[in-house]
Amino acid sequence: MRFDLCVCIGCLECCIKCLGGIPYPSLIATILLYAGVALFCGCGHEALSGTVTILQNYFEVVRSPVDALDVFTMIDIIKYVIYGIASAFFVYGILLMVEGFFTSGAIKDLYGDFKITTCGRCVSAWFIMLTYIFMLAWLGVTAFTSLPVFIYFNIWNICQNTTLLEGATLCLDPRQYGKDEARRTNVCCDLFLLQLDMTFHLFICALAGAGAAVIAMIHYLMVLSANWAYVKDACRMQKYEDIKSKEEQELHDIHSTRSKERLNAYT
């Protein structure tokens, strides 16, 4: 019974030590980044597919027979960009978590001050630069995502007014939005209101995901800056300890030499 109690206490201390070594700020930022990227990529992809459905089924917009840069080609390009964003930031989140572990106190206890400071300074500076660039990129993505949200909001607001006017039928002319290749010049709201409502809210969710990614990048910048200050102070402390140890060794050598000289002179 006593042996089992000691084993339980040892396991509890080990778990507490492991939990204490987790970089919780980096973990929170990683979870927020993954949630934002997943929301942006998933909802953005489905919103683009809904846009294609609206253009083909209701406005009767057809693909260009030649390799021209039409709206469908642009949507396909944006989808491939979304695939790249999802893959790249999945890997980047893992790298930032690893960087957080290597600048935590647990790694310092395992490997000592010298390795954590020499490696951590370069890694932290590199990730600070990359994260700042990615934050600016996500700000641009957020601004770009707000454009279809604004367009769909105007269309959705027009179609919602049909519920306020009894017996009225509101129709849209796609030429007002630059779609001269559309075969139908008047599309009534009651035909595609359900698809419009779903696509509009998917774009809103994608915009929210991009905003969450921006917040995650800002959080990462704060964490990385704190890690940079930590490893910089650790490097200065290591240099101070090395100088202090060297001076103490020199004083010890001088004292030993003088003691030997006195002993020789006495004998």
Side-chain angles (χ1 to χ4, degrees):
M1 186 68 180
R2 184 177 180 182
F3 176 75
D4 295 337
L5 181 60
C6 293
V7 171
C8 292
I9 293 175
C11 293
L12 180 62
E13 292 178 354
C14 182
C15 291
I16 293 174
K17 184 177 180 180
C18 292
L19 292 175
I22 296 176
Y24 290 102
S26 297
L27 180 62
I28 294 173
T30 303
I31 293 174
L32 184 60
L33 176 65
Y34 282 168
V37 172
L39 192 63
F40 170 77
C41 294
C43 295
H45 184 274
E46 293 301 317
L48 292 174
S49 300
T51 302
V52 172
T53 301
I54 291 175
L55 293 176
Q56 289 182 338
N57 296 343
Y58 300 104
F59 290 96
E60 297 183 0
V61 180
V62 296
R63 288 181 177 269
S64 178
V66 296
D67 295 334
L69 188 62
D70 57 356
V71 62
F72 297 107
T73 304
M74 294 176 62
I75 289 176
D76 292 336
I77 293 174
I78 295 175
K79 284 184 178 181
Y80 284 117
V81 171
I82 287 176
Y83 300 150
I85 289 174
S87 303
F89 280 92
F90 176 77
V91 176
Y92 190 66
I94 295 176
L95 293 177
L96 289 176
M97 274 298 298
V98 172
E99 192 274 342
F101 274 107
F102 271 91
T103 50
S104 63
I107 300 299
K108 181 180 177 181
D109 294 337
L110 289 175
Y111 297 104
D113 289 334
F114 180 74
K115 291 184 179 179
I116 185 63
T117 53
T118 53
C119 178
R121 289 182 67 186
C122 298
V123 172
S124 296
W126 176 254
F127 276 117
I128 287 174
M129 181 185 67
L130 282 181
T131 306
Y132 184 76
I133 294 173
F134 287 148
M135 184 198 68
L136 296 179
W138 273 110
L139 284 175
V141 171
T142 304
F144 179 77
T145 309
S146 63
L147 295 179
V149 172
F150 177 73
I151 295 174
Y152 269 95
F153 174 74
N154 290 332
I155 299 175
W156 180 79
N157 194 24
I158 292 173
C159 291
Q160 286 295 321
N161 290 330
T162 58
T163 59
L164 302 178
L165 300 175
E166 297 182 359
T169 302
L170 297 180
C171 300
L172 299 175
D173 189 350
R175 292 175 296 181
Q176 296 176 349
Y177 302 94
K179 297 294 181 285
D180 295 331
E181 65 273 15
R183 296 183 179 181
R184 299 181 63 179
T185 56
N186 287 311
V187 179
C188 296
C189 292
D190 53 355
L191 297 177
F192 69 106
L193 183 59
L194 182 61
Q195 183 67 41
L196 174 66
D197 186 73
M198 182 180 297
T199 305
F200 170 56
H201 287 89
L202 283 173
F203 271 118
I204 292 178
C205 292
L207 180 62
V214 172
I215 296 175
M217 290 293 103
I218 295 174
H219 196 167
Y220 269 129
L221 281 176
M222 293 188 294
V223 173
L224 292 170
S225 299
N227 290 341
W228 167 259
Y230 165 75
V231 296
K232 190 176 181 180
D233 291 341
C235 182
R236 291 178 178 177
M237 183 61 66
Q238 180 65 35
K239 291 180 179 179
Y240 171 75
E241 291 179 355
D242 291 340
I243 295 173
K244 183 179 179 182
S245 177
K246 186 177 179 181
E247 290 178 352
E248 290 178 352
Q249 184 65 34
E250 290 177 354
L251 291 174
H252 179 73
D253 294 339
I254 293 172
H255 181 72
S256 299
T257 302
R258 289 182 179 179
S259 298
K260 290 180 180 180
E261 290 177 353
R262 291 177 181 177
L263 182 62
N264 293 331
Y266 178 77
T267 56

